[in-house]
Amino acid sequence: MMEERLASMEKEVCRLRRYSFMLTLLLVITGLFAFTRSGIERFREINVERINVVEANGQLRMVISNKSRSPENLFYGKPLNPPIPGGTRPGMIFFNDEGTENGGLVFTGAADSTGKYQAFGHLSFDQYNSNQVLYLSYQDINGDQKTGLHIDDWQTHPIWPEWRAVYKKAQQLPDSPEKEALLKKLMVPREGVKAVAERVFVGKDDTKTAMVTLADRMGKPRLQMLVDSNGTARLNFLDEQGKVTYSLPK
């Protein structure tokens, strides 16, 4: 009698095993079919620290992340030398077809224990194999604000990563006339042209003056259209030393 019960129990266990296996297999197939049927999923809400947007071949095109998971600055898919570490830029970082960072949208804002605050918002687009040349920026350091559209010039040779590496190395040299001369040479590689210069600014400064400023290749303002905080409008022409040579109204 006992042997018959044991045999019956063994058959039942085998049957349950087969049932469990078939059910598991069915669930796996159903899950795979659900994710491959259309390639599109819909969520009501999702909490995530980082999202990598990639091409079909895995090429990184955009990273959306919190502060701690933000990516380092990449050039052809590799970190710059010296590297610019990640973990500092919450927002979105863009990458071109070659895996080089070419812009982004980042933002911060916080007050310290004394109540003083800093806030920053920045949407930028980079020159090919270089740094940002078109950007919208909001900067507020405890009420000292500058907000506007910036258009910069960056030299095309040497390219920005190479120039930056040499400049960073020069900055680490002991203070001396030779160091200052080298830094000046790097910033002004040829007469009348800076390695980087702000050419256009449209926005508002810390005096609440709305302005359009046009600068030369050295980044020196040469033409300004201003409306100050009192509503007074003025058009200024400036020389290389920043002196107003002609103004309207006179």
Side-chain angles (χ1 to χ4, degrees):
M1 190 70 174
M2 181 63 70
E3 292 179 353
E4 291 179 356
R5 287 184 178 181
L6 288 174
S8 177
M9 290 176 64
E10 288 179 357
K11 291 181 180 179
E12 184 66 18
V13 169
C14 290
R15 187 180 69 82
L16 289 174
R17 285 176 177 174
R18 289 195 297 270
Y19 175 78
S20 177
F21 174 77
M22 294 301 296
L23 181 59
T24 301
L25 182 61
L26 179 62
L27 288 174
V28 170
I29 294 174
T30 302
L32 291 174
F33 178 74
F35 279 99
T36 58
R37 179 176 53 190
S38 64
I40 299 174
E41 295 300 320
R42 180 174 178 175
F43 302 91
R44 293 289 300 275
E45 182 174 340
I46 182 171
N47 293 328
V48 62
E49 294 185 4
R50 173 164 166 163
I51 297 174
N52 296 332
V53 179
V54 299
E55 298 289 357
N57 63 358
Q59 173 68 55
L60 192 63
R61 294 311 301 260
M62 182 171 69
V63 173
I64 305 172
S65 74
N66 63 12
K67 182 177 181 179
S68 63
R69 297 294 303 278
S70 60
E72 57 189 332
N73 196 300
L74 301 180
F75 186 68
Y76 285 93
K78 298 180 180 179
L80 290 173
N81 181 29
I84 299 177
T88 60
R89 304 178 293 173
M92 295 187 295
I93 303 298
F94 312 137
F95 298 89
N96 68 13
D97 296 355
E98 298 168 330
T100 297
E101 182 176 322
N102 66 344
L105 169 64
V106 297
F107 42 87
T108 61
D112 61 20
S113 60
T114 68
K116 294 182 179 180
Y117 68 88
Q118 293 189 24
F120 178 75
H122 186 89
L123 171 63
S124 66
F125 300 92
D126 297 353
Q127 180 173 293
Y128 177 69
N129 278 351
S130 189
N131 207 354
Q132 60 191 20
V133 289
L134 172 63
Y135 52 102
L136 288 168
S137 180
Y138 158 69
Q139 179 177 291
D140 187 347
I141 302 176
N142 207 44
D144 185 2
Q145 296 183 11
K146 186 174 183 180
T147 307
L149 168 70
H150 305 252
I151 299 177
D152 291 359
D153 261 344
W154 265 98
Q155 64 183 2
T156 56
H157 184 78
I159 57 177
W160 178 70
E162 295 175 358
W163 179 90
R164 174 182 174 273
V166 175
Y167 192 84
K168 290 291 185 181
K169 187 176 181 179
Q171 285 182 312
Q172 296 173 0
L173 295 173
D175 291 338
S176 66
E178 290 76 17
K179 174 184 177 180
E180 295 303 317
L182 176 57
L183 290 174
K184 183 177 180 180
K185 177 63 177 177
L186 289 169
M187 284 302 302
V188 186
R190 60 184 188 274
E191 186 176 356
V193 178
K194 289 186 70 175
V196 55
E198 182 176 88
R199 300 297 306 278
V200 180
F201 173 73
V202 181
K204 175 176 66 69
D205 68 6
D206 59 350
T207 67
K208 307 299 183 182
T209 297
M211 64 177 62
V212 176
T213 301
L214 307 181
D216 60 23
R217 288 293 305 275
M218 292 295 290
K220 296 179 178 179
R222 303 301 295 271
L223 177 63
Q224 289 183 322
M225 183 167 59
L226 312 169
V227 178
D228 66 20
S229 59
N230 296 318
T232 302
R234 183 167 295 276
L235 182 65
N236 292 332
F237 295 83
L238 303 93
D239 62 17
E240 293 182 0
Q241 286 70 44
K243 180 181 177 180
V244 176
T245 58
Y246 186 74
S247 185
L248 291 173
K250 294 183 178 181

